[in-house]
Structure formats: C-alpha cells, structure tokens
Amino acid sequence: ERTWSDLLRFFEYPFSILWVGAALAFGLAVWRGGLRFGPLPAVPTGPGSGGQLAIAAQARLLRLTGQDGAILSDYAAARLAAVANARFGPAAARAGGGAETAIVRHLRRKDPPTGAALEDALERIRALPPAIPATEAIAHVDAFEKILEKIDHDT
C-alpha cells in the first residue's frame, strides 16, 4: 500500500537538485520571454483602428469625386511620417516640426541634392490643383517614391 511518504521521497536529496534546476530553467525561460516579447500590445477597440478607417474613408471619397490632387498631399505627409518613424523613431519624428522637418533637416546635412529634390517634389505636390487626371497624379507619386527609395537605401 502506498503512502504520502512514497511520494515525498521524490523531493528528497538527489531529486531535489533536479527540481531546483527545473524551476530555475523555467523561471529563466519566462523571464527571457518577457524581455524578448515585452508586454502585450493594446488591442484596438471597434471594427478597426479609428485613424486608419478615417484615412481610408477620406481617400475613398476623394477618389470617387476625382480629387486626386488632394489625396497626394495627405499621402506625402503619411509617407514622410512613416519614413521618419522608421529612420528616427516616433519621438524624434514628432519633435521639432514633425516628420517632414526631421527628414529635410537630416538630408540637408547628409545628402543636399536629395534634400533639395525632396523639397521640390513636396512643393510640386502641394501646388497641385485638387482635380487632376490620375495619370498626372501617378507621375507625381512615382517621382516622390523614387526619392523616398533613395533615402531608404542611401544610394
């Protein structure tokens, strides 16, 4: 007949070292996993992210009304914010005038011709009338994206 003393012998000297080692390994794995993956991200409420839904709805309305020129300035601002966030981090991109200022200031120091080309592309996009043909809008987007690709690849 088995008693509790039979079970407790698995926690005595030779096995106690194994149990301590297993507990230490488990604790180390949990600790490193917490450092590696960090806290759980916040889950957005509602059907989607409010900002992304608003931007998508605005873009759809502008496309339906043929306001391609108006979309381009918003697109340029969003792309510059994404590039600044990736290159400088969210805090640096927001500080001192926003993403555009951070990127232009960086390019003036590092690559003045690319900085001038970026400023020129932004000026042309902002000067566009709200209603332009889609082909002209695509040409402006291509020129702008080539400059951003040059910034990303540092070529």
Side-chain angles (χ1 to χ4, degrees):
E1 185 173 333
R2 305 227 182 248
T3 63
W4 285 105
S5 63
D6 292 335
L7 180 65
L8 292 178
R9 70 184 173 141
F10 289 109
F11 295 101
E12 291 179 4
Y13 168 65
F15 296 114
S16 64
I17 295 173
L18 293 174
W19 287 112
V20 169
L24 286 174
F26 178 76
L28 181 66
V30 168
W31 174 68
R32 287 301 297 161
L35 288 179
R36 169 70 174 93
F37 298 109
L40 293 175
V43 177
T45 58
S49 174
Q52 290 178 348
L53 279 175
I55 290 170
Q58 179 186 11
R60 180 160 166 44
L61 288 173
L62 289 172
R63 284 292 300 145
L64 288 174
T65 59
Q67 302 288 315
D68 291 332
I71 293 174
L72 287 182
S73 62
D74 291 343
Y75 174 77
R79 283 290 287 137
L80 283 176
V83 170
N85 188 18
R87 189 170 277 276
F88 308 120
R94 286 190 303 260
E100 179 183 342
T101 306
I103 291 174
V104 169
R105 198 174 1 166
H106 173 71
L107 287 177
R108 280 188 194 144
R109 285 191 314 262
K110 187 175 180 189
D111 189 6
T114 304
L118 178 64
E119 286 179 309
D120 183 49
L122 288 171
E123 297 277 335
R124 281 187 277 126
I125 287 174
R126 288 193 184 112
L128 290 173
I132 61 170
T135 55
E136 186 179 344
I138 290 171
H140 285 286
V141 168
D142 285 342
F144 181 68
E145 285 296 326
K146 284 180 185 176
I147 295 169
L148 292 182
E149 186 176 322
K150 186 175 182 181
I151 293 169
D152 283 343
H153 298 297
D154 289 328
T155 55

